[in-house]
Structures are given as structure tokens and as C-alpha cells.
Amino acid sequence: MINNCFLLLFCMLAALPAFCGQHVAHPRAFDSVEQETIRQIVDMERQAREASLRRDAEFPLRTLSEDYVAITPLGQVTTKQETISARRSGQLRYEELNVTDMVVRVYGDTAVVTARADVKGHQLGEDFSGPYRYTRVWVRRNGQWQAVSYQATVTQ
């Protein structure tokens, strides 16, 4: 079991450059199914980051559940359609998005991601740059991962 932990840790550390500075931490040892799930979720998070930077509206169209709800740092509730509309209209623009301190917790077909994000961006011309912490909940439905919830908080 200890060798599996070291192997997982080594694999994650070796892959870190591919995630542009993301740090992935795990609170306990995992079996091979959980390891694969964690790898898939880390990849979904990487894709989400890249899609945000590119203002790609197709990624949330494919990966957000129909009942998706996001809570902004100001407490506003945002739906899947509002998220897609903001991307398409260009209202929301990320110039930089650096994710670190990522932790992935797996509960069967549900994964909870917590992370830190240092952001530079604008929404409707207003600067929202700064440090954030976020939580995203992924659920596997019909073999595909979908985000069902997201919440971001401004930190210092």
C-alpha cells in the first residue's frame, strides 16, 4: 500500500508540468480505479482551465449538467445557459488562470475538487483579478464526467 502511495505521488509529480503549475494532493491511498478517476478529473480540470482562457463555449456545453449551478464570489447564482452565454458574448475574459493546491476527493461516481486559482480577468469591463479558492463537483453520468456545481471565493 505504501509503495502504491509513492507511485501515485511520483506519477502526479512527474505530470505536474503538463498541468501548468497545478499541484494535486490526495489525503489518502487509492486503489487503481480511484487513481484512474483522479487522473480523469485532473484532466477535466485542465481542459476547463484551457477552455476558460480560450473563451471556448463548446466545453461547458458538453461538460456542464443541465442542472448545473455556480455561485460567484459575490453570491450570484449562475446556470449552465448563463455560463455559456457569458463565454459566447465575450462578457467574461480570463487573461491568466493559474491553478494550484488542487485536491481531488472521489466518492464513487462523484468527485469533489478544491483548488486555489490566481486569476487575471474582466467581466463586463470590470476587473476581477486576484486570488480565489474554488470547489467544483463532478458526477459521472453514462460514463461521462459532468460538472454539477461550482463555487468560488475571493481570498487574500
Side-chain angles (χ1 to χ4, degrees), residues 55-119:
R55 295 187 283 278
D56 175 6
E58 295 306 310
F59 182 79
L61 186 63
R62 282 191 328 270
T63 61
L64 301 184
S65 68
E66 291 304 316
D67 59 348
Y68 171 82
V69 175
I71 301 172
T72 71
L74 298 177
Q76 299 161 315
V77 177
T78 304
T79 65
K80 175 180 181 172
Q81 290 307 317
E82 290 166 333
T83 300
I84 293 167
S85 293
R87 288 266 178 96
R88 286 183 174 153
S89 69
Q91 294 174 3
L92 180 62
R93 294 179 179 268
Y94 290 93
E95 287 93 46
E96 294 178 24
L97 181 53
N98 299 309
V99 177
T100 59
D101 300 338
M102 183 183 292
V103 176
V104 176
R105 292 178 180 87
V106 178
Y107 306 95
D109 284 336
T110 302
V112 178
V113 175
T114 55
R116 177 181 169 87
D118 291 308
V119 175

Side-chain angles (χ1 to χ4, degrees), residues 100-153:
T100 59
D101 300 338
M102 183 183 292
V103 176
V104 176
R105 292 178 180 87
V106 178
Y107 306 95
D109 284 336
T110 302
V112 178
V113 175
T114 55
R116 177 181 169 87
D118 291 308
V119 175
K120 183 176 179 186
H122 293 82
Q123 184 169 10
L124 295 172
E126 294 290 322
D127 183 48
F128 64 87
S129 301
Y132 293 83
R133 293 255 181 212
Y134 74 86
T135 300
R136 189 178 347 251
V137 179
W138 296 91
V139 174
R140 186 176 13 224
R141 293 181 174 154
N142 300 319
Q144 300 295 315
W145 288 105
Q146 292 186 311
V148 297
S149 181
Y150 176 84
Q151 189 274 324
T153 302

Side-chain angles (χ1 to χ4, degrees), residues 24-78:
V24 182
H26 306 287
R28 62 181 176 84
F30 298 98
D31 63 28
S32 61
V33 172
E34 287 177 306
Q35 289 176 21
E36 175 58 20
T37 298
I38 290 167
R39 188 199 61 73
Q40 290 172 5
I41 295 301
V42 169
D43 188 53
M44 294 301 292
E45 288 291 320
R46 179 191 55 77
Q47 291 177 53
R49 177 188 171 278
E50 290 173 0
S52 293
L53 288 168
R54 289 191 322 266
R55 295 187 283 278
D56 175 6
E58 295 306 310
F59 182 79
L61 186 63
R62 282 191 328 270
T63 61
L64 301 184
S65 68
E66 291 304 316
D67 59 348
Y68 171 82
V69 175
I71 301 172
T72 71
L74 298 177
Q76 299 161 315
V77 177
T78 304

